[in-house]
Structure formats: C-alpha cells, structure tokens
Amino acid sequence: GEQVLHSAKTPDRLFRVLKDEIPGVEYAALSYLENVLIRYEDKFYNDQPNLWVDGDFVEMFGLKMISGTSKLRDKLTCIVSASMAKKIFGNENPLGKTLFVNEGMPHEVTGVFEDIPSNSHINFNFFMPTQTFVHYGWMSPEGGWYGDFCWTYVKMKDGFNQSKLDEGLKSISEKYLTHLTNQHRKGTFVSQPVTDVHYSSTRSGELNTSTREKTITALMLVALLILAVIWMNYINLSTSLSRKRVNVFATYRKLGASKLTLIKLSLIESTMINAAALLVAIILFYFTEDLFYQLIGKDLSSGIIDYPVIIALSASLIFIGILITSLISAIPALRVNPAFLRQRSLSKTSGT
C-alpha cells in the first residue's frame, strides 16, 4: 500500500502565506529548535536549547517582557529568560549586551522575559530570529515548499473555527504543493490544537511531547480504582466496629436519639477521619515533592497548574467519599432495636 508520513513539521514558506490565504488567521509564526553554544565574554554555555522564531511568535504566546522589548523580526537580536539572564550577567543590565551563538553569530540582547512555566512546550531560555539565517544566506527570505523542518503556529480570529482553518489549509496544499503531484505524491496541511501538543502522537517531529493521552487516562482510572478500594476497606472496618458498638447505639436510642442523629454522628466521624487522612497526604506530598519531580523528570513547581479545578475536583471526591462511607457505616446503628437488646440483657440475667 501507500506509505503515509504524518509530520508535525512544515515547510518554512507556509506561515508566510497563511494570513493572505486564510482571512480568519490573526497571528502566524514559525519556530525551529537548535541546541547552540552560547558565549558571553569568557563564559561558555554548551547545548542550550534555543528556539529560532519568526512572525507573530511573541504576540501569539504572550511572552511577558520584564525589561526591554522583543525585536525578533530583526536579525542578530535575542531575548533571554530572567533566570538565564541572572545566570549569565549576574547583577549587570543584560540589555545591549552581546551573546555569541555557535562562536560566530553576535546577537544583541534586546529584552528579558519572565520565565516560562516548566510544563509549557515552549519552555526555553533563548529566543532568536530566523532572520539571522536570512542575513547569512542560509535561508531564503521568502521561504520554500521543499522539506519540513520547522513548526508553524496559527491563532485564529474570534468566530473562526478549526474546521474552517483546515479548509483553508487544504486549499493552500492544493495551490502550493504542486511539486508533489508531479512526483505522484500528495501532501495536505491540517491543524492541531496546541493543547494536544503535550501528548505523543503518530506525527513525527513533535516539539517537547511528554506522554500519550491514553497513558494518562489509564493512570487516572487506576487512581480512581485505588480510591474505591480504600473506601471499601474503610466501610468494612467502620461496619465491623459499628457491630461491636451495638450497646452504645442502643443506649443512644434509649436516651431519645433518633436515626437521623445516629447518621449525623456517623457523618461527623467519617469527616474527621477523611480530614485526618487528607492532612497526612498533604504532609507526605510536602516532604516527597522533590522526589516526585525527580521521578517524572520535570519540575512542576513553576508550571501552570489549574489549582481551582484541582481543589474543586478533590473537594467533590472527598465529599462523595464522606457521604457514601458515613451512610453505609451507619446501617448497623440504624438496625439497633433498644427493646430487643434490653430483653436479651434481662434474659441473660435471669439465666444466671
């Protein structure tokens, strides 16, 4: 059958025609990753991941500039992250300083940006313009349609959806990839939401993918299964203890406690136990946080984490757990018959 190649990379010419060919495109940008050697005075920094960019990259991703400005449409300029600027320049003002890239290319630092969250797929310390390649004659100013070596990003205008974008990309493919038709091959551009970039896919050349979505889903199901087993064990233990406290419940009933009161007692007990378990879990996470980050190979302390959603989800699970466990564990107490227990107690006394 036919050999099909799915690639996340595109020709560098694509981003240059997007705005003209598809009216719904607000921003278009290009990027290319290279590990470079950075030199400042007599200090060297080897294998630094540097993203070469062009177009509306800064506007699209909203890089927050701490000082200076981004001039990534100009050749031989660069912007540096705050932490890397501190590492290289110390207390000096980095603006206007020159970094030599791969020994030969001088790049002026025009701005310092706020560190990018660690779980972003563009978590880099350096951004430099591909116009430098054009300056040295290594890249055509217009770009080309041969080969795929860069990533193209698009931000759509409000009201312009992905299906319309894909229709426009299909038209671009038919218009500009005619050289493939002459070779009895076919190529089509399609879009991918940037939120899906974090997952591994069948596309080759993805930038900074982490894991497969199915893997994460499976781990979440395992976590829910473990939580369900814990709840079941707690219910069994609570039910067993409740049967041993039948006389206590009978006393409550004889003193006028209603079934609703017994349910409230069970609810309070379950809430206290779950609160204690939550406190222990928080303490354990605090002391094992660094070990966890080493295990997954990523420091999430500076990452973008939706804490309100996590807190809301955790609170919902805890509330459901408390409600279920307290109601089930209260069943033995609700079945207590004070008169029957009193009669059984008198029978034992008479027998003796």
Side-chain angles (χ1 to χ4, degrees), residues 144-198:
W145 295 103
Y146 294 87
D148 50 350
F149 64 93
C150 60
W151 295 279
T152 300
Y153 294 95
V154 173
K155 182 180 180 182
M156 298 174 289
K157 297 177 181 178
D158 293 339
F160 196 79
N161 57 38
Q162 186 180 356
S163 62
K164 293 180 180 179
L165 174 62
D166 285 335
E167 290 176 7
L169 289 172
K170 184 179 179 181
S171 298
I172 291 176
S173 304
E174 295 171 350
K175 181 177 180 180
Y176 292 102
L177 299 183
T178 54
H179 62 284
L180 294 179
T181 305
N182 297 332
Q183 300 170 8
H184 304 289
R185 295 189 296 165
K186 182 181 179 181
T188 303
F189 297 119
V190 293
S191 63
Q192 175 189 17
V194 74
T195 51
D196 293 346
V197 171
H198 297 279

Side-chain angles (χ1 to χ4, degrees), residues 254-265:
K254 283 188 291 185
L255 292 175
S258 64
K259 291 184 177 181
L260 181 60
T261 302
L262 295 180
I263 292 176
K264 289 181 179 179
L265 289 173

Side-chain angles (χ1 to χ4, degrees), residues 195-206:
T195 51
D196 293 346
V197 171
H198 297 279
Y199 302 120
S200 300
S201 68
T202 56
R203 297 179 179 88
S204 63
E206 289 279 21

